[in-house]
Amino acid sequence: MARQYIDRGDRFAGWFTAALAAIGGIWIVVQAALRIAEVVRGTDVPVLAPFAGEHAELPIGPGGSPVTVTVDQAVITGNGLAPITSVSLVLEAVVVALGLLAALACLALLCINLARGIAFSRPNSRLILIGTIALLVTWAAGGLFRTMGVNGTFAAVSEHSYDNVVFAADLGPALAILALGMIGTAFGVGERLQRDTEGLV
């Protein structure tokens, strides 16, 4: 495995980014634990819910007069949630936390390798691939459990009388996953080119 020369500043940047990833992992674990405790408590559980075609009045006009606004999403609080709803919300927190931790671990290892002068290599390509797959699974499974939790919360709040739930698909993570896939492809091409040219110079 060939090592490239890397200056002190780049080495510091690699190790610093790896340290930030470790700190981010701790923050993710803490937030997941708080969310799980919030759901398990069972009372006034906040759930971010999507809306479509709904309007509400907010006191944002002159002198606090009401103005009609379109609601895309809002936090609703549920009580007496069905067990399947609570399980879905807990699984969402667990899946998202595990997926992000896996992606951060791959990022940290990648940065450590770069700090050591290992750039275009098969291990780095695999780290990017594993991180991309982790984010993809997190996006898909987390979205599924989130939708199940939102549906159950609406059912509990409205006593099954509200029927305006839409599947919330955030395209931001999908674009990030696509970008990571492109980076992984670039690393794979670089690794093959480096392997093919070794010994020629």
Side-chain angles (χ1 to χ4, degrees), residues 11-168:
R11 285 199 301 270
F12 174 79
W15 286 105
F16 181 73
T17 303
L20 288 181
I23 295 172
I26 296 173
W27 182 84
I28 289 171
V29 171
V30 171
Q31 292 301 311
L34 292 175
R35 177 56 175 168
I36 292 172
E38 203 173 46
V39 174
V40 172
R41 185 182 62 211
T43 57
D44 297 328
V45 179
V47 177
L48 182 62
F51 289 88
E54 294 292 347
H55 304 281
E57 291 188 346
L58 296 178
I60 59 176
S65 59
V67 175
T68 301
V69 298
T70 300
V71 179
D72 292 324
Q73 60 180 8
V75 175
I76 59 177
T77 55
N79 291 288
L81 300 179
I84 185 63
T85 301
S86 297
V87 170
S88 296
L89 294 174
V90 169
L91 286 177
E92 178 200 355
V94 171
V95 166
V96 170
L98 291 178
L100 292 179
L101 286 174
L104 281 178
C106 291
L107 171 63
L109 292 174
L110 176 63
C111 290
I112 291 173
N113 283 344
L114 293 176
R116 295 169 56 203
I118 303 173
F120 296 114
S121 64
R122 186 160 298 177
N124 284 352
S125 299
R126 288 175 179 171
L127 285 173
I128 296 175
L129 176 61
I130 294 172
T132 303
I133 293 175
L135 290 179
L136 180 60
V137 173
T138 300
W139 179 62
L144 174 63
F145 289 129
R146 183 182 307 113
T147 300
M148 293 173 61
V150 168
N151 288 343
T153 305
F154 270 124
V157 170
S158 67
E159 297 182 353
H160 301 275
S161 63
Y162 184 79
D163 186 21
N164 191 40
V165 181
V166 296
F167 181 81

